[in-house]
Amino acid sequence: MAKKDAAPDPTLASNRKAFHDYNVIERFEAGIQLTGTEVKSCRARAIQLNEGFAKIEKGQLLLHNVHIAAYDFGNRFNHQVKQTRRLLMHKKEILKLHQWLGTKGGTLIPLRFYLKGGLIKVEIAYCQ
């Protein structure tokens, strides 16, 4: 009998350096607001998370310093490589993170980008 093809790895990019530099307290799953060429670059695994971090500004969770390479076949509507991107989470979760950052200190670090049900998700972690 022929073996079934193994399912492709849903992980698009991971930040292994974060586990070395920080103590991971808790992990969260968030959606991410991307444009068309950003999605195509993410699916091509052209993402670098090394210097990325997340901040809460005006009640929204924003992802900074994540490098998503320009799409090779994009035209003049191609995206900016290191722009601020909005993370999508429930309001209660954002308020919980905001409270933790205000009282305990720490930071929010993206650990990995992955596919879930055809959508691109980001795993962020509250770290100290």
Side-chain angles (χ1 to χ4, degrees):
M1 296 179 77
K3 291 184 179 179
K4 291 183 182 179
D5 291 333
D9 185 23
T11 301
L12 301 174
S14 62
N15 188 357
R16 289 179 271 147
K17 185 179 176 187
F19 293 102
H20 183 267
D21 293 343
Y22 299 100
N23 182 20
V24 176
I25 305 297
E26 191 166 345
R27 300 175 188 206
F28 297 92
E29 177 183 73
I32 185 166
Q33 184 177 353
L34 299 172
T35 61
T37 55
E38 287 175 321
V39 172
K40 291 189 176 269
S41 289
C42 286
R43 287 182 180 265
R45 301 174 193 265
I47 308 166
Q48 293 178 0
L49 300 174
N50 296 340
E51 299 173 359
F53 64 95
K55 265 180 145 178
I56 299 174
E57 298 173 3
K58 297 181 184 175
Q60 294 185 351
L61 189 58
L62 301 175
L63 188 63
H64 297 276
N65 282 350
V66 172
H67 182 276
I68 298 178
Y71 185 57
D72 293 336
F73 303 107
N75 53 14
R76 66 177 184 240
F77 299 111
N78 219 341
H79 64 277
Q80 297 286 330
V81 175
K82 274 197 173 183
Q83 67 183 6
T84 302
R85 294 168 180 91
R86 192 171 87 162
L87 295 177
L88 308 171
M89 290 179 72
H90 290 286
K91 189 170 188 169
K92 287 182 181 179
E93 291 177 321
I94 294 174
L95 291 175
K96 177 181 177 182
L97 288 173
H98 185 65
Q99 186 178 23
W100 281 4
L101 293 174
T103 58
K104 300 178 186 176
T107 186
L108 298 172
I109 303 293
L111 294 181
R112 68 183 184 121
F113 273 54
Y114 60 96
L115 289 172
K116 182 177 178 184
L119 299 174
I120 297 175
K121 301 285 185 175
V122 180
E123 182 178 25
I124 60 170
Y126 172 71
C127 303
Q128 289 185 337

